[in-house]
Amino acid sequence: MTVGLALLLDLASRAPRCGASSVSAHSHGGLSAAAAAATAAAALSASGVPLSARHLFGFPGFTIAHCDAGAAAGLNDAPDLVNDLNNKIRDSIQYARKEYFQYPAKEYPLELKPLFSAFGLKNFSVTTLRSFLLYYLPLIQPKPQTDSDDDDDDLLHDAPEEKHVDLITPFHNSVKQIIRETSIVTTRRVLERIAVCHVSQRTAWKLLKDASKSARRKAARGMSTPEYTYCVARTTFRAHALGVAAAWVVQSIIEVYRCFIRKPSDDEESFDDMEKFRLFGRKIYGITIKSCFSLVLASIGAGIGALVHPRHGQWFGCALGDVAGPVVAIIIFEKMQLPL
């Protein structure tokens, strides 16, 4: 009964009326149709139609309405407009698919290394060998012999006593260097995990990127020399930032121990609390300046070294700039007569 009432109202709304223009008639017709649909919906809601079956009658949710009043209102070309719209949508979809397959969306894979990777067999062996060679190689260097013109004078002089070679101090220094390097690598792994959790995926990917592999990929793109050098230097700056930050954190902790925790020996001067804070501030200032120089020179060295070889040249230039950074900082500040 309710549906029949709605259909009767719809048919009555389509009947022609005298003394009114076609546009007005159709506008009233649209209103009457809408009113009929609303009346039918209200009747359905008032009747005992269950909720699970109301969508069949267009209530509630999306209202289903059919109106053919547009044909007499000057919209005879509606099918053409719909076809044009469908063609434009289809062309847009095809263009988007073509662009996607030609230039796919860039992904940012995050590869976190193990937290204690510095204690692996290979890495720890290389660190230990490098540390011991650093402090024991100077001991085996031959001392230059002085030539004298008079052999008789050499016979008169007593043979110089051989000095005892201290092997304990280089061993202690080597152990300290091993602890320092492993602490820096472990601190960097912690900073990488913090970056992954607190920054965007794109930023974390740039901080964790392998700069050597990135330089090799950039070399295959056919960039110009200035653009290639700049891109490699920028990538190295981002990828090397966490390493420099980890070194800064470890060195700052060492200075905290030296200034506030360690007891001064007999040869060292004792300072009060204010002098300790001032000394600690100067140490942190010097560490920060040296770290900044290391990061900048490592990036520049990597950009220049990548011109020789995309991968090995980038790595060698980065390492060379990292080592030369503190030395250049000390020389510049001494020339400018600034404390460091």
Side-chain angles (χ1 to χ4, degrees), residues 166-181:
D166 186 11
L167 299 177
I168 303 300
T169 302
F171 179 79
H172 290 166
N173 294 333
S174 300
V175 172
K176 291 178 182 178
Q177 182 66 21
I178 293 172
I179 296 174
R180 183 183 294 109
E181 291 192 13

Side-chain angles (χ1 to χ4, degrees), residues 68-105:
D68 56 354
L75 296 177
N76 295 326
D77 55 347
D80 297 336
L81 295 176
V82 174
N83 292 333
D84 293 341
L85 182 60
N86 291 334
N87 293 332
K88 290 181 180 179
I89 294 174
R90 185 177 64 254
D91 295 341
S92 300
I93 294 175
Q94 292 178 356
Y95 177 77
R97 289 179 178 176
K98 180 181 177 181
E99 289 294 319
Y100 174 78
F101 287 113
Q102 186 175 2
Y103 303 102

Side-chain angles (χ1 to χ4, degrees), residues 245-268:
W248 183 89
V249 170
V250 172
Q251 192 63 32
S252 299
I253 294 174
I254 293 174
E255 294 301 332
V256 169
Y257 170 77
R258 289 177 178 175
C259 294
F260 301 104
I261 300 176
R262 187 185 64 176
K263 294 181 180 180
S265 60
D266 297 335
D267 299 335
E268 297 178 352

Side-chain angles (χ1 to χ4, degrees), residues 308-326:
V308 180
H309 191 275
R311 185 168 185 177
H312 301 290
Q314 187 276 339
W315 179 86
F316 182 76
C318 180
L320 185 62
D322 192 13
V323 174

Side-chain angles (χ1 to χ4, degrees), residues 19-206:
S21 62
S22 61
V23 177
S24 299
H26 291 296
S27 63
H28 287 295
L31 292 175
S32 301
T39 305
L44 281 172
S45 62
S47 63
V49 179
L51 292 175
S52 59
R54 290 187 180 183
H55 66 279
L56 299 176
F57 301 96
F59 181 85
F62 298 100
T63 303
I64 302 174
H66 302 278
C67 182
D68 56 354
L75 296 177
N76 295 326
D77 55 347
D80 297 336
L81 295 176
V82 174
N83 292 333
D84 293 341
L85 182 60
N86 291 334
N87 293 332
K88 290 181 180 179
I89 294 174
R90 185 177 64 254
D91 295 341
S92 300
I93 294 175
Q94 292 178 356
Y95 177 77
R97 289 179 178 176
K98 180 181 177 181
E99 289 294 319
Y100 174 78
F101 287 113
Q102 186 175 2
Y103 303 102
K106 193 172 184 179
E107 297 181 356
Y108 304 102
L110 297 177
E111 298 179 359
L112 285 175
K113 296 181 180 179
L115 182 61
F116 299 102
S117 60
F119 298 96
L121 180 60
K122 180 181 178 180
N123 295 333
F124 191 76
S125 301
V126 171
T127 302
T128 303
L129 181 62
R130 183 172 60 245
S131 300
F132 277 101
L133 290 178
L134 179 64
Y135 289 99
Y136 277 99
L137 277 180
L139 300 179
I140 62 177
Q141 291 180 356
K143 296 182 180 180
Q145 297 180 356
T146 57
D147 297 334
S148 62
D149 297 330
D150 299 327
D151 296 336
D152 296 336
D153 294 340
D154 294 339
L155 296 175
L156 294 175
H157 290 293
D158 295 332
E161 298 179 357
E162 294 183 358
K163 294 183 179 180
H164 177 68
V165 179
D166 186 11
L167 299 177
I168 303 300
T169 302
F171 179 79
H172 290 166
N173 294 333
S174 300
V175 172
K176 291 178 182 178
Q177 182 66 21
I178 293 172
I179 296 174
R180 183 183 294 109
E181 291 192 13
T182 52
S183 300
I184 290 174
V185 175
T186 306
T187 305
R188 176 170 182 170
R189 299 292 176 255
V190 174
L191 294 178
E192 289 175 356
R193 282 157 174 77
I194 293 175
V196 170
C197 295
H198 292 85
V199 300
S200 62
Q201 186 178 4
R202 182 171 179 266
T203 305
W205 176 72
K206 289 181 179 180

